[in-house]
Structures are given as C-alpha cells and as structure tokens.
Amino acid sequence: MSTEQGSHSNYRRTLGTTALTAVGLGSIIGSGWLFGAERAAVLAGPAAIFAWVIGAVVALTIALTYTELGSMFPKAGGMVRYGQYSHGSLAGYMAAWANWIAIVSVIPGEATASIQYMSSWKFDWAGKLFDGKELTGTGLAAASVLVVFYFFLNWFAITLFAKTNNAITVFKVVVPALTAGALIFAHFDTSNVGSAHGGFAPNGWSAVFSAVAVAGIVWAFNGFQSPLNMAGEARNPGKSLPKAVVGSILIALVIYIALQVAFLMAVPAADLSGGWNTLAYKSPLADLSITWGLNWLALLLYADAFISPSGTGMIYAATTSRMINGVQENGHLPKVFGKVDPKTGVPKPALLLNLVISFIFLAVFRGWGSIAEIVGVATVISYITGPVAVMSLRRLAPDMKRPVKLKAMPVIAPIAMIFGSLVMYWARWPLTGKVIFIMAIGLPIWAWYELRKPWAELKPHLKAGAWMVTYLLVMAFVSWAGGTEFGGQGYLAQGWDIVVVVLIALAFYAWGVSSAWRNPTLVATEKEMAAAEAAEAAAGSGDPEASSEPSMAKS
C-alpha cells in the first residue's frame, strides 16, 4: 500500500464545483481588494486598471496548464507535486518550496491586513496597532490571535470548512461589489485621470508592469491554485477543477476592475496635489467612504476587513496543510506530516507545522506591503513549473488519462512561461534577488533527504533539475543588469531587456521540457492510477476480486 493509499485515503471527496469555485474565489478576494487598488494606483496611477487585466491574463494562461495537471493527478496538495512527477526530486522540491513559501506567507498577510484596517478606528488603542509601516507589538499579538483562529476553523472537519467558506465567500463577493457601486455613485471625478495629476500613466508603463508583480495583484490571482491543492477532496475533479479555476479568476477580475475604477475616481483632488505616489491611506476604501459621507459603508468595510482576510486565511490554512502532505509524499518531510485524521479528514500535524511557520512570517514581515512583495515573486517562481511539466508529461506519459486536455496547450505553455518570466523581471531588483535567495534557503532540506542516496540514483535527478537552478540564477542576473526602470543597472536598454527575458523564457522552457524523465515517482503514480482504474472498472462489472484493489477515488 502506498503512502497515498494509506493516510491520505482519509481525505473526504465531498467538494463539488460550487464549493471549489468558492475556494478559488475566496482565496482571490482576500486582503488584496482592501489594499490592492491603492497600492496599484500609487505605483501606476490610473493605468493601474491595466495592471489588473494583465495580472488576470497571466494567471489565466498559467492556470490553464495547471488545470490539465490537476485533472490528471487529483491528489491533495497538487501544486507541489507536478514538478516531481515530470523532473524528479530537485526540480520538484524547488517548485514545491517556492509554492509553499508563496502560499503559507499569505496566512499572516491576511491577519496583518485586518489589523491594519483596525488601526484606523477612532480609538486610541486602535491607533497603536500600526505605526504607518508595520504592526506594533500590540498589533502583532492581535494578528497572532487571528492566525490561530484561521487554523482553529480547519481543525475539526472538511465539511465544516466547506460550509463556513461558502457563506464567507458570498459575503466577500457582495461587499466589494457594493463598495465599488457606492463609491462610484458618491463621487466620480474623471479629472483625476487628467494631465493635472500626471496623466493616465504618470510613472510610465514600466510602473504598470511592476504593479502586477508587487502591488498585490499576483498575490490576489494566485488564489486560483487553491482548488487544485484540494483536488484530493473533489467529487469530480475532471469537470469541477477547470470550471472552478477559470470561473474564480474571471469573476474576481470584474470585481477588482470595478474597485480600481471606483478608487481612482473617489480620491479627493486635494489628496492628489503631490501626485498618485504620495497617497498613504491606512484603510484606503474605508477612508474614502468617510470622506464622502458613507459612514455605513465604512462600518461595513471595517467588519469585512476581518471577514474577507479571515476567509482567505482559513482557505490557505487548509490548502497549505494539503501542500505539506504533498511535500511529505515527495519524500522531503517526516512521515508524521503525511498523516490525516481518519475521523475528520483533516491533516492535523501539517496544520500545526504551518501555524508555526505563519508565526515566524508574521514576526519578520509585519506590514501587508512587504508580505505582498515577497508573495508575488515567490508565486511567479512557483508558476514556471506548470508550463514545463504539462508538456513534459505529454511527452513522457502520452497515454495517461487527461480529463482536461486543450489542443492549444503546445502554444499556451510557452506563452505561460514567458508571462511568468516577465512578471518576475517586472518585480524589480533587488526584490527578485532577495526572493531567489529565499528559494535557496530551502535547499538544505532537500540535501538532507537526497544527498545520502547513491550517486547513480541521485545523478538523473540533478541532471533533470539543472534547468531550474540555472534559470533562477540567470533571471537574478538579468534583473540586476536590466533596465533602470525595473531597478537594474541599465546594461540592457529599455525594450531590449524585455526581448532578452522572452528569449530566456523560451530557451529554458525548451531545456526544461527536454530534460524531463520517467523518474520513479511518475512510474509509481502511473501504476497506482492504473490499479485504481482497474478497481473502478471491476466495481462497475461486479467483480469482487478485482474491486478489492485500492481505489484512487479514496486517495
């Protein structure tokens, strides 16, 4: 019996399309809608509208590669597994590490967002929670309580999680839509986008691209992967996963554009006297609501500043625990973190590990903006394995069942790789270098488990993963040497730097696909899935002997 068929078989396949869409939408609409509109406007001015569109296109393109993978391997923690299936332990571990860092850091980020909004309440004690840049000691304690609450809601049962999340998601969709509409009707000053305030793109289009990476936009749309990480609990993953992933991105895009337009037109002209980059609201949407006499909306926003981030924090507490299960099954964590409680279907040891890590992130990155930057770049690094893995597996395992298979994937995959590489470059130096360094911090864990293996066994994993290590080093160098508008040294002329990044993306995409191999994890998974299909077929024919085989329907 495999690990997946053992402890992981305790997962409950109870989530349908609606529940999974709520998981995706609930992940996308979290703290990003409370702060993203202002942060994007500070960087890009009115052109921030296009930053949201670009972010959605990037997320949707990359998500299409992952929906095929998610339907092929409907297992818990899916996003941390795909690189392992296609390239073995090194590439698989680095992708899993990047993905986990990007997701687990969102949990303290959501708690931080709630406390930052609370700091603008008209009470002395509330003002002492946030000093304008980061949480104070009192604010940190309050955020810690929220983090514990997120994990508490995940402790008892997946059905409780689903019911709670569905209710919260409805609230999270209604309130942002109501906020956008109310602000638009209260004050819609089109002169805000005029030449008096720098024009439509006051800081140039490079600022628009940077906003995609560091204004919380990538952070927001990254929520599309939450349904994939809970694929092990989907009733019909082949049909429900793609609908949930694509649907949640498109619904969220409409909401975010409406909020961005409402924010841009609601800012008082006096607040723009120094330009868009001087805005510094503590609670952007609530502050504007009070300015235009919408006190009822401000109260609703203060309430939702707990509900929206808490809903997202709860979802990410759930999905990160499933990711830990995936990392453990890949062979890079102790077996205890692969255990799932048989009564509740909850991976409690993994939940506790992520709780500890969330506290660490909360203590180190105390402001929403600093966490959003780290999450954005780490997210993009985790994205690059999807396009490579999906086409690699089409070459390595052409006969494997694919409930979702797009004819255009050979075109979509390299485009997704280009988009991911561009967003990483747009994040600006030195942030790109810092996050790539964080990726390197995780390598000792991989080394602990892998370097003790015989050279003949280890060598193919190193060879197959070399493309990803080299890619990150090259991208760090290009970010450092690139255009000054993206924080670089200016050795690459404007325009040509984009061309260089595109060529690098295509070159490493080709290298990555060609270096994939039929590693032991893929072979074992193929056998497991074949046995599951045989068991399902036997169950349908009434053959009791064959139906005694382990069923993937419970894995």
Side-chain angles (χ1 to χ4, degrees), residues 527-539:
K527 292 180 179 178
E528 183 182 329
M529 295 180 72
E533 290 178 12
E536 290 176 2

Side-chain angles (χ1 to χ4, degrees), residues 151-165:
F151 284 89
F152 177 81
L153 288 177
N154 276 277
W155 188 259
F156 296 104
I158 183 63
T159 51
L160 174 63
F161 162 81
K163 291 176 181 178
T164 305
N165 182 60

Side-chain angles (χ1 to χ4, degrees), residues 509-542:
Y509 168 79
W511 183 4
V513 173
S514 65
S515 65
W517 64 298
R518 290 185 56 79
N519 62 83
T521 303
L522 176 59
V523 173
T525 302
E526 283 182 316
K527 292 180 179 178
E528 183 182 329
M529 295 180 72
E533 290 178 12
E536 290 176 2
S541 65

Side-chain angles (χ1 to χ4, degrees), residues 119-429:
S119 69
S120 63
W121 291 3
K122 305 305 179 183
F123 301 103
D124 290 340
W125 62 267
K128 297 177 182 178
L129 298 172
F130 183 70
D131 64 11
K133 293 183 178 180
E134 62 180 26
L135 297 182
T136 63
T138 305
L140 186 63
S144 298
V145 172
L146 281 179
V147 168
V148 172
F149 176 68
Y150 302 160
F151 284 89
F152 177 81
L153 288 177
N154 276 277
W155 188 259
F156 296 104
I158 183 63
T159 51
L160 174 63
F161 162 81
K163 291 176 181 178
T164 305
N165 182 60
N166 286 347
I168 290 176
T169 299
V170 171
F171 189 81
K172 289 170 69 173
V173 172
V174 170
V175 174
L178 181 63
T179 300
L183 286 176
I184 287 173
F185 280 107
H187 189 79
F188 196 80
D189 189 353
T190 56
S191 66
N192 282 0
V193 301
S195 58
H197 305 298
F200 188 73
N203 299 317
W205 287 97
S206 62
V208 177
F209 299 139
S210 291
V212 175
V214 299
I217 294 174
V218 167
W219 169 327
F221 286 118
N222 186 43
F224 79 78
Q225 64 174 281
S226 289
L228 298 173
N229 283 324
M230 301 194 74
E233 289 136 291
R235 283 199 299 267
N236 189 346
K239 291 183 178 180
S240 58
L241 285 179
K243 291 179 181 179
V245 169
V246 175
S248 59
I249 291 174
L250 295 179
I251 294 170
L253 174 61
V254 173
I255 293 172
Y256 275 120
I257 289 179
L259 284 166
Q260 187 67 65
V261 171
F263 177 85
L264 292 169
M265 305 307 176
V267 175
D271 290 354
L272 292 174
S273 59
W276 289 98
N277 60 354
T278 62
L279 294 179
Y281 297 119
K282 277 189 174 181
S283 309
L285 297 173
D287 291 348
L288 290 178
S289 299
I290 293 173
T291 298
W292 303 117
L294 301 175
N295 293 331
W296 62 270
L297 181 59
L299 292 175
L300 184 61
L301 285 167
Y302 286 138
D304 193 65
F306 282 96
I307 295 173
S308 283
S310 294
T312 302
M314 180 184 70
I315 293 171
Y316 278 67
T319 57
T320 51
S321 64
R322 276 66 176 176
M323 293 168 75
I324 288 296
N325 278 182
V327 174
Q328 183 277 321
E329 190 184 339
N330 287 346
H332 299 131
L333 280 176
K335 290 183 179 180
V336 65
F337 295 114
K339 291 185 177 180
V340 179
D341 185 79
K343 294 183 179 180
T344 62
V346 174
K348 292 184 176 181
L351 268 177
L352 291 173
L353 174 63
N354 283 320
L355 177 60
V356 172
I357 299 301
S358 294
F359 283 144
I360 294 173
F361 269 94
L362 190 61
V364 176
F365 304 103
R366 297 187 176 191
W368 186 88
S370 59
I371 297 178
E373 290 180 348
I374 297 295
V375 171
V377 182
T379 295
V380 173
I381 291 175
S382 70
Y383 280 170
I384 65 171
T385 53
V388 173
V390 71
M391 293 309 298
S392 296
L393 289 168
R394 283 196 177 189
R395 177 174 66 84
L396 297 174
D399 298 326
M400 186 175 286
K401 184 179 179 181
R402 289 172 169 81
V404 177
K405 186 176 181 181
L406 300 179
K407 293 182 179 179
M409 190 59 73
V411 176
I412 294 173
I415 291 176
M417 182 73 172
I418 290 172
F419 282 167
S421 301
L422 285 173
V423 174
M424 193 186 308
Y425 177 69
W426 295 338
R428 301 173 61 89
W429 182 266

